[in-house]
């Protein structure tokens, strides 16, 4: 009966994992792909069907086709960035996950309120450059893989580095520590939270600066930047795990107060762990994150729970399958 449904996503970000996971659970898969980007989706054999579009705007014209195929769309960050939240909100196509939560996530102020409601430690926000009194990171709107972010310790340095940019910015305390991205899955069918893995990012140029001597760094006046190019797996101190679960549960509880149904499915807390072993959460992603791609074949933690290769993409498909088989599909759509 579940075979009547197809799993679809846009060919980018974590589509290989999403489609592979869906096939492993027995679904047929559809990859909507921008012309010129087909190669990986064909070569890795993850798509039963490819729909090629000339531009992302053309997605709108194939929506009806996807509805006729009984496709369930799995969102990811590139899809949200390319199609836009307004369109996703208005879409009639079956959509895995709560769209209202995606809208809250996309709004920095609402996201901050959500994390505060969950009582998580977050880096201090500076509402104006003039109030900067410590090392800060300046971020720009939209998930663009950390591109263009810069550090400044006071207003003067901030304005020098901002230069002519007119982009909307967000200034946050820079927390010195190690970045840890926590991959969660919350099932609205079992009301249980799962930890599927952890990753860290590999960013240009902060992860490359250490490859040249300090005198050379000074000589060429390098500015730190955080453009993500890839990810690596992490396992964390086992004694931190109780807190990891508690943080995830707090976020779910708070989300249920924010909007009916709250957050469910995969999500990620993006944290910096400092030398006092305190987690500072600088961002939440309310959908699959690209860092889960390091565990295509399962992570140490998903192995503990599932005893079989279980990645986040496959976990999504299993949830959908379970929902269909128990006549509760509406619980995982939104
Ligand atoms: P994106 O919006 O693309 O997800 P992030 O906001 O996650 O980008 O930040 C990109 C990178 O900047 C992170 O991987 C992390 O290394 C660094 N970073 C972000 N915020 C902080 C912070 N408050 N303190 C220290 N490092 C940070």
């Amino acid at each position: 009966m579940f075979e009547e449904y197809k799993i679809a996503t846009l060919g980018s970000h974590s589509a290989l994992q999403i489609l592979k996971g869906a096939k492993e659970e027995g679904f047929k898969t559809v990859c909507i792909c921008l012309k010129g980007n087909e190669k990986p989706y064909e070569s890795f054999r993850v798509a039963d069907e490819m729909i090629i579009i000339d531009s992302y705007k053309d997605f709108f014209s194939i929506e009806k086709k996807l509805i006729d195929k009984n496709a369930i769309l799995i969102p990811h960050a590139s899809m949200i960035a390319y199609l836009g939240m307004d369109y996703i909100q208005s879409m009639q196509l079956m959509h895995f996950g709560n769209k209202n939560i995606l809208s809250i996530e996309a709004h920095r102020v609402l996201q901050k309120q959500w994390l505060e409601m969950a009582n998580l430690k977050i880096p201090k926000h500076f509402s104006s450059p003039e109030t900067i009194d410590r090392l800060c990171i300046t971020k720009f709107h939209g998930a663009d893989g950390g591109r263009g972010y810069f550090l400044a310790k006071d207003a003067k340095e901030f304005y020098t580095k901002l230069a002519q940019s007119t982009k909307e910015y967000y200034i946050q305390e820079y927390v010195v520590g190690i970045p840890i991205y926590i991959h969660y899955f919350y099932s609205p069918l079992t009301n249980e939270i799962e930890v599927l893995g952890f990753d860290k990012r590999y960013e240009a140029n902060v992860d490359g600066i250490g490859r040249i001597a300090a005198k050379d760094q000074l000589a060429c006046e390098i500015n730190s930047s955080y453009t993500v190019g890839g990810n690596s797996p992490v396992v964390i101190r086992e004694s931190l795990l109780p807190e990891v679960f508690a943080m995830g549960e707090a976020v779910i509880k708070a989300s249920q107060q924010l909007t009916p149904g709250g957050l469910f499915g995969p999500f990620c807390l993006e944290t910096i762990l400092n030398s006092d072993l305190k987690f500072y959460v600088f961002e939440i992603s309310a959908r699959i994150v690209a860092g889960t791609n390091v565990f295509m074949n399962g992570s140490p933690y998903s192995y503990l729970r599932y005893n079989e290769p279980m990645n986040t993409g496959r976990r999504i498909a299993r949830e959908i399958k379970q929902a269909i088989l128990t006549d509760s599909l509406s619980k995982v759509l939104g």
Side-chain angles (χ1 to χ4, degrees):
M1 178 179 113
F2 75 88
E3 295 91 340
E4 292 162 20
Y5 293 85
K6 291 185 175 169
I7 299 294
T9 198
L10 196 66
S12 183
H13 191 267
S14 45
L16 290 171
Q17 187 197 156
I18 291 170
L19 300 174
K20 174 76 173 174
K23 281 178 81 68
E24 281 173 339
E25 289 299 302
F27 286 97
K28 288 273 183 251
T29 58
V30 185
C31 180
I32 304 104
C33 199
L34 198 64
K35 197 173 183 167
N37 290 351
E38 308 90 318
K39 189 71 186 179
Y41 306 98
E42 289 168 355
S43 172
F44 292 119
R45 308 276 191 273
V46 293
D48 293 304
E49 229 178 296
M50 303 276 294
I51 300 179
I52 310 296
I53 52 179
D54 286 327
S55 84
Y56 289 117
K57 280 200 291 294
D58 294 343
F59 190 94
F60 316 139
S61 60
I62 57 136
E63 189 185 333
K64 172 81 175 51
K65 201 163 157 182
L66 290 169
I67 293 172
D68 293 343
K69 289 183 191 296
N70 222 15
I72 300 173
L73 187 70
I74 314 297
H76 54 60
S78 305
M79 191 184 103
I80 298 164
Y82 298 142
L83 303 186
M85 254 339 281
D86 288 348
Y87 169 66
I88 291 174
Q89 280 289 4
S90 69
M91 208 163 51
Q92 298 301 305
L93 181 60
M94 284 186 280
H95 171 275
F96 175 78
N98 188 340
K99 289 179 188 173
N100 290 338
I101 281 292
L102 289 181
S103 295
I104 292 171
E105 184 224 280
H107 196 289
R108 277 210 202 270
V109 176
L110 296 179
Q111 184 182 127
K112 180 168 175 280
Q113 287 168 357
W114 176 9
L115 297 174
E116 282 167 350
M117 270 173 76
N119 267 323
L120 300 184
K121 235 184 269 20
I122 55 179
K124 186 176 160 59
H125 167 233
F126 291 85
S127 51
S128 84
E130 282 65 31
T131 58
I132 296 177
D133 63 359
R134 64 193 80 179
L135 188 63
C136 283
I137 180 163
T138 299
K139 307 180 177 190
F140 296 100
H141 191 68
D144 191 19
R147 197 184 298 265
Y149 291 8
F150 64 82
L151 302 187
K153 58 185 178 322
D154 53 32
K156 186 165 171 268
E157 190 176 0
F158 172 88
Y159 284 114
T160 307
K161 290 185 173 169
L162 184 70
Q164 307 303 325
S165 172
T166 52
K167 284 194 279 187
E168 206 182 315
Y169 55 74
Y170 187 85
I171 308 170
Q172 197 173 62
E173 165 188 13
Y174 186 88
V175 181
V176 178
I178 50 170
I180 294 186
Y181 290 69
I182 312 171
H183 314 154
Y184 293 97
F185 191 94
Y186 175 70
S187 166
L189 305 177
T190 62
N191 297 324
E192 207 187 337
I193 197 147
E194 297 167 29
V195 171
L196 291 179
F198 303 86
D199 78 287
K200 62 175 183 161
R201 291 182 175 182
Y202 197 41
E203 294 162 328
N205 54 20
V206 282
D207 291 317
I209 287 174
R211 294 165 61 86
I212 56 173
K215 66 176 170 36
D216 297 322
Q217 295 172 21
L218 292 173
C220 53
E221 294 181 14
I222 293 174
N223 281 322
S224 318
S225 63
Y226 296 84
T227 308
V228 64
N231 305 73
S232 335
V234 171
V235 286
I236 66 163
R237 287 169 73 129
E238 198 159 313
S239 56
L240 292 170
L241 283 173
E243 193 184 348
V244 164
F245 277 96
M247 291 195 299
E249 277 159 10
V251 159
I252 294 295
K253 227 187 206 158
S255 76
Q256 290 165 346
Q257 289 162 26
L258 285 172
T259 181
L263 169 62
F264 57 85
F267 67 102
C268 174
L269 288 181
E270 309 187 358
T271 74
I272 303 286
L273 182 71
N274 75 4
S275 52
D276 297 327
L277 296 178
K278 301 268 182 273
F279 282 106
Y280 281 79
V281 180
F282 60 86
E283 197 159 302
I284 180 167
S285 293
R287 31 87 201 154
I288 188 169
V289 285
T292 60
N293 289 337
V294 298
F295 302 121
M296 295 276 188
N297 201 30
S299 76
Y301 300 94
S302 72
Y303 167 71
L304 288 172
R305 189 177 163 114
Y306 287 99
N307 284 314
E308 61 181 327
M310 177 60 69
N311 61 39
T312 298
R314 184 170 181 182
R315 184 65 190 85
I316 293 171
R318 183 162 294 184
E319 188 77 357
I320 293 172
K321 184 158 94 179
Q322 223 28 56
I324 296 168
L325 296 175
T326 54
D327 212 8
S328 11
L329 186 57
S330 61
K331 279 195 178 171
V332 301
L333 303 180

